[in-house]
Amino acid sequence: MSTAPPPTGPGPHRPPDFTEVQASQEFGELRRSYRSFAFPLTVAFILWYLLYVLLSSYAGGFMGTKVFGNVNVAFVLGLAQFVTTFLIAWWYARHAAAKLDPKAQAIKSRVEGDA
């Protein structure tokens, strides 16, 4: 017994040619838009994280400097790691909604319309 849904359109169903979609100018533009945002931001965040780790390992005196009360530089920079993580996630969500999602939806509509 088959669990596949019955064909909905007239004639045989032709699956999309994903190799053709991947080679399209639209898909290349979508990929460039994603990479031009994600790669530099990822590199910047990794460098920021490594700076924090290196300062924690090799600049104990600096990281132990009191900012106010019992709060030191290490604690402030540690909290800043969390803040930047959330800011990057928020920024990426805005970028994806404005730039990536419409392009991806256009490709999806074209592929599904051709199928």
Side-chain angles (χ1 to χ4, degrees), residues 14-24 27 107 110-112 115:
R14 184 181 69 84
D17 182 1
F18 293 111
T19 307
E20 182 182 311
V21 173
Q22 185 180 11
S24 72
F27 190 79
I107 293 169
R110 183 176 56 81
V111 168
E112 288 178 347

Side-chain angles (χ1 to χ4, degrees), residues 21-22 24-31 100-114:
V21 173
Q22 185 180 11
S24 72
Q25 182 179 353
E26 275 181 307
F27 190 79
E29 187 179 316
L30 174 63
R31 189 172 38 227
L100 303 178
D101 292 348
K103 292 176 186 177
Q105 186 60 43
I107 293 169
K108 179 182 175 192
S109 296
R110 183 176 56 81
V111 168
E112 288 178 347
D114 289 350

Side-chain angles (χ1 to χ4, degrees), residues 14-60:
R14 184 181 69 84
D17 182 1
F18 293 111
T19 307
E20 182 182 311
V21 173
Q22 185 180 11
S24 72
Q25 182 179 353
E26 275 181 307
F27 190 79
E29 187 179 316
L30 174 63
R31 189 172 38 227
R32 273 188 303 282
S33 187
Y34 168 75
R35 288 178 177 172
S36 68
F37 183 87
F39 287 177
L41 206 54
T42 300
V43 169
F45 184 77
I46 288 172
L47 290 174
W48 159 229
Y49 176 74
L50 289 176
L51 174 67
Y52 177 74
V53 170
L54 290 172
L55 286 173
S56 295
S57 297
Y58 298 107

Side-chain angles (χ1 to χ4, degrees), residues 86-107:
F86 288 109
L87 285 175
I88 288 169
W90 170 79
W91 192 14
Y92 176 77
R94 285 179 42 107
H95 172 74
K99 307 266 173 136
L100 303 178
D101 292 348
K103 292 176 186 177
Q105 186 60 43
I107 293 169

Side-chain angles (χ1 to χ4, degrees), residues 70-85:
N70 286 329
V71 177
N72 59 18
V73 172
F75 185 75
V76 171
L77 292 180
L79 287 177
Q81 289 284 320
F82 287 100
V83 171
T84 54
T85 299

